Amino acid sequence: MKNELSIFYQREYKDRLFKFIFGRESDESKRWRLQLYNALNGTHYDDPDALKINTIENVIYISMHNDISFLIDSEMDLYEQQSSQNPNMPLRGLFYFSLLYQGYINENKMNILSNHLIQIPTPRFIVFYNGPDKKRDSWKLKLSDAFIHNDDSGDFEWTATVLNINDKHNQTLYDNCNPLYDYVKYVGRIKANLKSGMQNEKAIDEAINFAVEQNFLQGFFEKHRARIRSMCLTEFDEEEFKRVCRNDGYIDGKSEGLAQGRDEGKKEKAEEAAIALLNENIPPETIAKCVKIPIERVLELQATMAITSSC
């Protein structure tokens, strides 16, 4: 293989399970991400060390998502896992690849002011989606969809390809990548448990036990049980937070107060949102970050609720 480089993007929050499986420097993780690359591209590379990992830190507009990018055979692929619909992925991809290309140009001592055309890897942005929309196998998101004025010229475009990795979608991909299959089955087990009425912790614990019994990822779940549990609790707490907010109209533009949150009246709306989320047992730290009020105020509200309920 030529020009073999892989770049791993790390966020400020705790790792997601997808990154923990495919993005570490362990021998098993190297094998798994090579299997994933081969399954996506129909290739048969057999050298896991061809995919090297670097880290880009402190990128703005980032929350609870982890991206893996591969530069292989003059192609730079960036992979990201998403559990909710995000139409802004092309814009995010534009930010990501801008940083990746800067690193590539600097590393290869290229001169962007040269009279000669410099050659850069072809970009490819893949989003692995396992959220609630299970109707399609794949779809394209385009940057031009976000332009204020409609532009069909195609003069400037950036695309994210979304692959649905819910069960019964993209079966060929699972058949060619057992690690992805095991990941999908495990996450699907958690979601089925939650749908049956289990609380987050019980749903995750049962799914981990199931993964251990089924020997998913050759003992990976047994070896990293505590770490996986912590990551999944963080992920599904955030998903629950978003679900509650949407149902109660606090995000997605349904509540002007929380969406803007800039004056005293909107502060009241934010506190109402915090109380609703406390009633759903969302952690105070998560609430404080998401509704953008101090953690101290969230704890005060929690204490007031406890006093009121005991009376």
Side-chain angles (χ1 to χ4, degrees):
M1 282 177 272
K2 58 185 177 181
N3 294 333
E4 296 154 346
L5 170 69
S6 113
I7 301 175
F8 183 86
Y9 176 85
Q10 179 179 16
R11 301 184 188 278
E12 59 182 303
Y13 289 86
K14 292 182 179 179
D15 293 350
R16 279 184 176 267
L17 180 58
F18 184 84
K19 171 193 164 184
F20 192 52
I21 292 173
F22 293 104
R24 294 173 302 125
E25 274 287 20
S26 66
D27 289 340
E28 59 187 6
S29 190
K30 290 179 181 179
R31 293 195 307 271
W32 294 338
R33 62 174 170 265
L34 184 61
Q35 287 183 49
L36 181 61
Y37 182 87
N38 283 335
L40 284 167
N41 293 278
T43 51
H44 302 282
Y45 295 117
D46 57 8
D47 181 9
D49 289 321
L51 302 176
K52 300 176 183 178
I53 296 180
N54 295 321
T55 302
I56 305 173
E57 296 180 336
N58 301 320
V59 178
I60 59 174
Y61 309 127
I62 304 303
S63 171
M64 287 293 294
H65 307 282
N66 296 279
D67 315 313
I68 305 172
S69 83
F70 304 115
L71 168 56
I72 207 168
D73 279 348
S74 298
E75 181 178 289
M76 183 180 289
D77 292 357
L78 186 142
Y79 301 162
E80 179 170 356
Q81 178 266 327
Q82 287 274 304
S83 57
S84 59
Q85 292 272 19
N86 187 341
N88 300 307
M89 297 308 294
L91 185 59
R92 290 156 63 90
L94 181 63
F95 293 158
Y96 298 155
F97 279 103
S98 174
L99 292 169
L100 298 176
Y101 280 133
Q102 289 180 53
Y104 178 82
I105 288 170
N106 291 335
E107 181 178 347
N108 290 277
K109 297 179 173 58
M110 296 176 171
N111 182 8
I112 200 170
L113 301 178
S114 170
N115 291 328
H116 301 285
L117 181 68
I118 63 173
Q119 300 290 301
I120 61 174
T122 303
R124 188 174 178 222
F125 187 17
I126 302 295
V127 179
F128 296 94
Y129 173 77
N130 60 350
D133 182 356
K134 303 178 182 180
K135 297 179 181 179
R136 298 170 286 175
D137 280 347
S138 65
W139 58 95
K140 301 279 188 181
L141 299 175
K142 297 183 177 181
L143 185 64
S144 59
D145 294 334
F147 293 166
I148 295 174
H149 298 292
N150 185 47
D151 180 6
D152 297 325
S153 67
D155 289 342
F156 195 92
E157 191 62 272
W158 199 272
T159 305
T161 301
V162 184
L163 298 180
N164 192 337
I165 58 170
N166 283 294
D167 195 19
K168 300 181 181 178
H169 289 272
N170 291 298
Q171 187 63 46
T172 302
L173 186 57
Y174 306 143
D175 292 343
N176 293 317
C177 184
N178 287 333
L180 184 64
Y181 175 87
D182 289 351
Y183 166 78
V184 169
K185 286 296 184 182
Y186 166 71
V187 173
R189 185 79 175 193
I190 296 177
K191 292 182 177 181
N193 289 342
L194 292 171
K195 189 175 182 179
S196 71
M198 288 187 190
Q199 294 298 313
N200 281 11
E201 291 193 20
K202 185 175 180 180
I204 290 168
D205 287 341
E206 192 282 336
I208 292 176
N209 290 335
F210 174 77
V212 170
E213 292 170 1
Q214 298 296 315
N215 196 33
F216 284 170
L217 297 172
Q218 298 98 36
F220 178 82
F221 283 87
E222 178 67 36
K223 181 179 179 181
H224 300 287
R225 179 187 293 266
R227 181 79 179 273
I228 292 171
R229 185 177 189 272
S230 175
M231 285 188 291
C232 290
L233 283 171
T234 301
E235 288 186 47
F236 281 89
D237 278 347
E238 184 186 69
E239 287 188 20
E240 176 69 8
F241 167 82
K242 290 179 179 178
R243 182 191 66 78
V244 172
C245 284
R246 289 193 175 95
N247 289 345
D248 291 344
Y250 291 116
I251 61 176
D252 286 348
K254 296 178 182 178
S255 168
E256 179 182 356
L258 184 55
Q260 298 180 2
R262 291 191 179 93
D263 57 27
E264 191 61 31
K266 297 177 181 65
K267 176 183 175 183
E268 181 179 347
K269 289 291 186 181
E271 292 186 356
E272 289 177 2
I275 292 171
L277 295 167
L278 285 168
N279 282 325
E280 294 288 339
N281 296 318
I282 304 299
E285 295 80 5
T286 302
I287 296 173
K289 290 178 182 178
C290 295
V291 302
K292 303 189 186 309
I293 61 177
I295 180 63
E296 292 80 9
R297 180 55 183 156
V298 178
L299 294 174
E300 288 176 4
L301 293 171
Q302 186 180 50
T304 300
M305 290 169 60
I307 294 172
T308 301
S309 63
S310 64
C311 294

